Amino acid sequence: MIKDLIRKNRAWSAAKTEIDPQFFKRLASQQSPEYLWIGCSDSRVPANEIVGLDPGELFVHRNVANLAPPQDANYLSVLQYAVEVLKVRHIMVVGHYGCGGISAAVDGQRHGLIDHWLHPIRETYDENRTDLDALAEGTERLNRLCELNVIRQVRNVASDVFVQDAWNRDQVLSVHGWVYSLNNGLVTDLGVSVSNLVDYQALVGRNHP
Ligand code: CO
C-alpha cells in the first residue's frame, strides 16, 4: 500500500531527528559527499545501505547495468557536477552478479528499447569472446561479463574529459571498479582503481577489456 510508505517515511524522519536533532537542518543547507556511486537500478542494490552511508554522504547515479556511456547527457551531467562542483574524491562503478541487464544483453532475445541501451555490453562480450566462451555457459560466464562490464565502465569514466581535466589540475580523484554479490551482500574490489594519468595509461594499456 502506498500509504504505508508515507507512514514509514514519518517514522524514519522521526527516528533520524531523535538521534540527531540538527540532521535535516544541516543537510538542507548543503551536501558535501566524498563519493559518487554509479550503480545498477536493480532494487536489490541500494547504494547508501550497502556501504553504510547516510543521506548527504553519497552522490548516486543509477541505470540499467551501471553503464557510463560517453554520450549520455544524464550520466555526464552527474559526473561533471560530482567532479567539478562537489569535488568527490572517489567514484565507484558498481556492478552486481545476477544482473538482469547483463543477461538480457546477450540472451539473443528481443526486449525493446533496452536492447539499444545494452549495446555496449554486447561490444564488451565480443571484445572478450575467446575468454568468455572458455567459461561454462550460464552463471560463470555472465559473472565474468559483469566484471568486464564494470572494468569497461571504469575506463569510460577515467577517460572522460571531466576526469582527465581534474587530474591535469592535480585534483584528488580515484575511480574504482566494484562488484556486489546479491548472495551475501558483500562488495568485491576488482583492483582496477585509477587515481591519476599514469594509472590511466596502465589501465588502457592492458589487453582486456
Ligand atoms: Co543489474
Side-chain angles (χ1 to χ4, degrees), residues 31 33 36 59 75-88 162:
Q31 62 164 346
L36 166 61
F59 203 54
Y75 147 70
L76 290 173
S77 302
V78 169
L79 181 67
Q80 183 178 27
Y81 191 75
V83 171
E84 297 186 358
V85 180
L86 296 173
K87 294 189 166 53
V88 298
F162 297 136

Side-chain angles (χ1 to χ4, degrees), residues 40-42 44-45 63-66 95-96 98-102:
C40 185
S41 298
D42 194 303
R44 298 165 295 178
V45 192
N63 58 43
V64 175
N66 42 271
H96 68 102
C99 181
I102 295 288

Side-chain angles (χ1 to χ4, degrees), residues 178-205:
W178 290 0
V179 182
Y180 174 76
S181 171
L182 299 173
N183 293 326
N184 57 17
L186 297 177
V187 162
T188 301
D189 185 337
L190 293 175
V192 291
S193 297
V194 190
S195 299
N196 50 52
L197 293 167
V198 175
D199 287 354
Y200 171 71
Q201 290 304 332
L203 183 68
V204 296

Side-chain angles (χ1 to χ4, degrees), residues 63-72 75 101-106 112-129 132 144-156 209:
N63 58 43
V64 175
N66 42 271
L67 295 179
Q71 292 87 19
D72 179 49
Y75 147 70
I102 295 288
S103 52
V106 295
L113 180 59
I114 196 74
D115 294 325
H116 298 276
W117 175 254
L118 298 172
H119 183 92
I121 297 171
R122 284 193 293 282
E123 288 186 317
T124 297
Y125 191 104
D126 288 341
E127 287 162 12
N128 297 276
R129 183 170 287 277
L132 287 165
R144 184 57 186 151
L145 180 57
C146 174
E147 295 172 356
L148 292 172
N149 177 50
V150 168
I151 297 168
R152 188 66 186 79
Q153 303 315 309
V154 166
R155 275 182 61 167
N156 278 4

